[in-house]
Amino acid sequence: MSSRRPDPLAQVSDFDIRLLRIFRSVVECGGFSAAETVLGIGRSAISQQMSDLEQRLGLRLCQRGRAGFSLTEEGREVYQSALQLLSALESFRTEVNGLHQHLRGELIIGLTDNLVTLPHMRITHALAQLKERGPDVQIQIRMIAPNEVEQGVLDGRLHVGVVPQASALSGLEYQPLYSERSLLYCAVGHPLFYADDKQLDDARIDAQDAIAPTFRLPAEIQAHYQALNCTASASDREGMAFLILTGRYIGYLPDHYASLWVQQGRLRALKPATRFYDLSLASVTRKGRRPHLVLESFLESLATTR
């Protein structure tokens, strides 16, 4: 007679759900110590909860110790399954709440970096309206690279994102929000910082070490980078700013983001009358998504806020 190993989670309890939520937070924070603030409990308590989850699953989920935190292969699979389960639970809760037309639940937003300095503040105003309509709504903002925002919306980890608008990805819907202007900057210490724009020819600019973004951009904007001598790259605008501020590179930055450094005399724009481009920013959601009252309320506010 063959013996069959019993299913460790034949019945999923509220306790199991709580442990999986803690596990998700630990993974997304990158370890026990970093998760303490997010979870509001101490490292020893987190460690005990993870041990309880591993015992209930009969699996080793992560390595922890002097070498740092890392997931095992089984841990990575459990994490992906936990995301699907928790997302399904949240969808169920949101749909039931929608029957009562009362805003509860969570809204997870993925943003490309450095949008907070935009003078329009449409995202900020829309979030304020959402919180006013639903005081119990829990808002999570994740600052990640544009490519990761789109992927997160596609796989359901994010409800909505805001990204630079390039070619549309299949499965996603884009709604234009506003446009920002980027100028070509150099910093104090760079050979071009004190050069007169009238005497600065394009060939000299194009010969300087420059930075290219690794996120998707429209073809007409990519042409601006192809003209430069790009010897470095960055996944986001903050990374580009770090390199420009070394005084060794030139690169494009949104003018609203660079304005404080310009006022401090640390950055200057090179030939701003000709060296610029305008980039559209758009909200992105998944096509065919299930009804989500919190998300729809946020999108409505985003569309009407100016």
Side-chain angles (χ1 to χ4, degrees):
M1 174 183 290
S2 62
S3 60
R4 184 175 181 270
R5 182 181 177 182
D7 184 351
L9 287 183
Q11 293 183 338
V12 180
S13 67
D14 290 342
F15 181 63
D16 295 317
I17 298 299
R18 179 173 180 273
L19 292 180
L20 288 171
R21 290 187 187 278
I22 292 174
F23 176 54
R24 179 183 68 176
S25 295
V26 169
V27 174
E28 292 177 351
C29 290
F32 293 3
S33 297
E36 287 183 282
T37 302
V38 172
L39 295 171
I41 57 177
R43 182 174 177 178
S44 59
I46 296 173
S47 179
Q48 181 59 53
Q49 305 272 25
M50 288 299 91
S51 296
D52 289 344
L53 180 60
E54 289 178 328
Q55 185 174 358
R56 291 178 71 81
L57 295 175
L59 297 170
R60 181 72 170 174
L61 300 179
C62 58
Q63 305 291 343
R64 54 263 205 192
R66 293 183 178 180
F69 175 86
S70 63
L71 287 177
T72 63
E73 185 63 34
E74 292 82 3
R76 283 189 286 271
E77 293 186 19
V78 170
Y79 172 65
Q80 293 300 324
S81 296
L83 289 180
Q84 296 176 23
L85 172 62
L86 296 175
S87 177
L89 286 172
E90 180 57 33
S91 295
F92 173 79
R93 182 171 66 170
T94 300
E95 290 172 19
V96 171
N97 288 336
L99 298 176
H100 302 284
Q101 292 297 299
H102 184 71
L103 290 180
R104 291 193 185 96
E106 64 180 0
L107 181 70
I108 307 176
I109 310 171
L111 300 179
T112 188
D113 62 328
N114 303 308
L115 297 182
V116 72
T117 52
L118 274 164
H120 317 318
M121 295 189 70
R122 288 181 63 179
I123 299 170
T124 302
H125 295 322
L127 289 172
Q129 291 181 15
L130 176 65
K131 193 62 177 175
E132 183 177 354
R133 288 186 59 188
D136 296 329
V137 170
Q138 297 180 0
I139 299 171
Q140 295 184 36
I141 293 182
R142 299 180 182 175
M143 305 301 298
I144 48 182
N147 298 347
E148 296 179 42
V149 172
E150 291 174 309
Q151 186 57 48
V153 174
L154 273 173
D155 62 26
R157 288 180 290 118
L158 302 174
H159 295 126
V160 60
V162 177
V163 295
Q165 189 166 8
S167 56
L169 294 183
S170 176
L172 295 179
E173 293 180 343
Y174 298 81
Q175 292 296 327
L177 289 178
Y178 33 54
S179 178
E180 66 178 10
R181 173 157 292 190
S182 289
L183 303 177
L184 185 61
Y185 291 95
C186 69
V188 170
H190 193 277
L192 301 186
F193 189 79
Y194 294 107
D196 186 342
D197 271 348
K198 294 180 180 179
Q199 300 176 355
L200 189 57
D201 61 79
D202 288 332
R204 186 179 177 193
I205 292 176
D206 294 341
Q208 305 299 313
D209 285 326
I211 310 152
T214 58
F215 51 86
R216 296 186 317 117
L217 288 169
E220 63 271 18
I221 291 179
Q222 292 177 10
H224 288 269
Y225 291 95
Q226 291 167 356
L228 299 175
N229 177 34
C230 293
T231 59
S233 63
S235 63
D236 50 49
R237 282 98 69 91
E238 186 170 359
M240 299 178 76
F242 267 112
L243 289 171
I244 294 169
L245 287 166
T246 66
R248 298 295 182 267
Y249 297 91
I250 62 173
Y252 285 96
L253 291 175
D255 56 2
H256 62 86
Y257 177 48
S259 63
L260 179 60
W261 290 309
V262 173
Q263 294 171 23
Q264 294 173 344
R266 298 178 61 190
L267 287 183
R268 65 156 289 194
L270 300 170
K271 303 185 74 171
T274 57
R275 291 286 183 145
F276 70 88
Y277 63 78
D278 294 321
L279 177 64
S280 295
L281 294 159
S283 65
V284 56
T285 52
R286 185 171 56 180
K287 290 181 180 178
R289 61 185 181 274
R290 304 177 96 184
H292 190 299
L293 189 61
V294 175
L295 173 59
E296 302 310 323
S297 179
F298 173 71
L299 293 175
E300 179 184 347
S301 296
L302 200 60
T304 57
T305 301
R306 293 292 182 267

